[in-house]
Amino acid sequence: MERVTDHDERLPASPGPRAPLAWAHRIGARIPLVNAPMGGVAGGRLAAAVTAAGGLGMIGMGSAGSVAALERELPQVRGVDGPFGIGLVDWVVAAEPELLEVAIAARPALISVSFGTDLGWATRVTDAGIVAATQVYSAQDARRAQDAGVGVLVARGVEGGGHGAVNSTLPPLLDAVLNVASVPVLAAGGIGTPSSLAAVLRAGATGAWLGTCLAACEESSLSEAGRRALLAARAEDTVLTRAYDVGTELPWPARFPARVLRTEFTDRWTGREDELAADQSARAALAAAIAAGDPAVAPIDAGEGVGLVTAVEPAARVLDRLWSGATAHLADGPADR
Ligand SMILES: Cc1cc2nc3c(=O)[nH]c(=O)nc-3n(C[C@H](O)[C@H](O)[C@H](O)COP(=O)(O)O)c2cc1C
């Protein structure tokens, strides 16, 4: 598998526990790039490719996560030289608490649990010697998570793909979280170019948590139809909606709508979720379209960076382009210097 060159000397000199390469090395990686734990997209194969390239590969257990699904993905990261992580969804763990036990027993370097308010899981994870991470949307979220023992904060801007609170775009959120954080902060939301990665590192992020820019990679578990839809989409083709969560009757908290590709379904039902909740036949039609993988109707999570995803590439190539490009930007300094 391909590996990414690290370029240590080009990073801003910021020694300490939040310095990018120091953190990467502490968790056993070479570069501070983490693939977001994307349910249905980041399986063991993508995680293994990211880890082999020098990053931290995460297996994502999304709304369909289960002990059985996790056990199916884990063999792919075993034997890869480097650390892996596991990302869980709070309400899925609440429905199947054994999922957290199995995740801890798998001995990943990092476990994230997102989209919940009870952070009691964090001490169980850290007591097992594993780094606990969660996505945060404000300085207040960051303080709470840190106080509960979360060791890595993921500042997730509203540009990002998938579920998340609608609070702030990444640049002001990152500043707000960095202001209160005493632990490493990864930046998430819309990062997909060397310059956007350089910007968050320059702002003080320890690394990046990358979703959309890796979702169409060769190693992702996305369907072919989903991959084609991502490649065809422009930046303005995403929408924030609760329509799919209501339409599929999944217990996503209302505080976390999802950013998805705009479809006939989102055009019809976004803002009319109460009507959808009462319309049994519309929900049955959605279930049938999802089962058939109909890309005009089925949900595909994607962030505003989707317009930059134009080819199916190995994850290592995407990471290499981002990392070597970002470190070159950082070495160059401002364009007018
Ligand atoms: C296809 C896809 C699926 C996602 N699924 C999950 C998930 O299961 N659990 C989770 O914590 N975050 C999930 N996310 C959100 C990511 O953790 C992250 O917030 C987001 O991808 C960052 O923004 P970006 O997509 O612009 O890189 C998903 C994102 C995408 C694009």
Side-chain angles (χ1 to χ4, degrees):
M1 299 221 201
E2 291 174 52
R3 277 161 67 92
V4 175
T5 324
D6 31 19
H7 306 299
D8 308 41
E9 74 286 355
R10 291 180 176 169
L11 286 166
S14 52
R18 283 165 46 176
L21 287 172
W23 178 75
H25 296 163
R26 214 160 50 245
I27 59 160
R30 290 189 307 111
I31 56 172
L33 300 182
V34 179
N35 75 271
M38 299 176 275
V41 172
R45 190 160 171 244
L46 181 63
V50 168
T51 294
L56 175 69
M58 296 275 291
I59 296 177
M61 288 286 112
S63 54
S66 66
V67 167
L70 179 56
E71 285 175 341
R72 265 197 309 277
E73 301 301 327
L74 281 170
Q76 309 211 47
V77 293
R78 302 267 181 235
V80 179
D81 185 19
F84 71 97
I86 298 173
L88 306 174
V89 169
D90 174 81
W91 57 263
V92 175
V93 175
E96 192 181 7
E98 207 196 335
L99 187 51
L100 182 61
E101 304 308 324
V102 172
I104 291 172
R107 307 302 311 156
L110 180 147
I111 291 179
S112 72
V113 180
S114 290
F115 315 119
T117 45
D118 176 3
L119 295 163
W121 59 272
T123 46
R124 291 176 52 209
V125 166
T126 47
D127 286 353
I130 298 167
V131 177
T134 197
Q135 297 183 74
V136 297
Y137 310 92
S138 65
Q140 193 190 358
D141 283 354
R143 273 202 205 92
R144 272 196 67 234
Q146 207 165 252
D147 291 349
V150 169
V152 167
L153 300 170
V154 181
R156 194 272 192 189
V158 72
E159 308 90 327
H163 290 83
V166 184
N167 195 33
S168 170
T169 54
L170 180 59
L173 173 67
L174 182 57
D175 283 343
V177 171
L178 284 167
N179 264 334
V180 299
S182 54
V183 298
V185 176
L186 303 180
I191 301 169
T193 56
S195 56
S196 55
L197 176 57
V200 297
L201 293 172
R202 193 178 281 120
T206 293
W209 172 279
L210 307 164
T212 301
C213 71
L214 293 169
C217 280
E218 257 171 49
E219 301 90 347
S220 90
S221 315
L222 197 62
S223 67
E224 277 316 304
R227 220 181 285 274
R228 275 197 300 278
L230 280 186
L231 297 185
R234 300 159 304 168
E236 60 271 33
D237 292 337
T238 71
V239 62
L240 269 173
T241 187
R242 293 206 67 242
Y244 285 118
D245 298 340
V246 172
T248 52
E249 299 177 84
L250 292 173
W252 281 101
R255 181 182 168 223
F256 304 112
R259 186 176 291 284
V260 297
L261 292 184
R262 191 178 154 196
T263 60
E264 288 165 16
F265 187 84
T266 62
D267 282 354
R268 177 150 180 223
W269 293 109
T270 302
R272 293 176 53 215
E273 284 86 353
D274 289 348
E275 282 173 66
L276 177 60
D279 189 334
Q280 160 65 29
S281 65
R283 286 185 279 110
L286 173 63
I290 292 174
D294 176 358
V297 179
I300 299 171
D301 290 357
E304 290 180 341
V306 71
L308 301 161
V309 179
T310 54
V312 175
E313 297 179 283
R317 193 176 305 156
V318 176
L319 295 182
D320 188 35
R321 182 167 59 243
L322 290 178
W323 186 250
S324 47
T327 48
H329 271 282
L330 292 168
D332 288 349
D336 60 355
R337 194 172 61 169

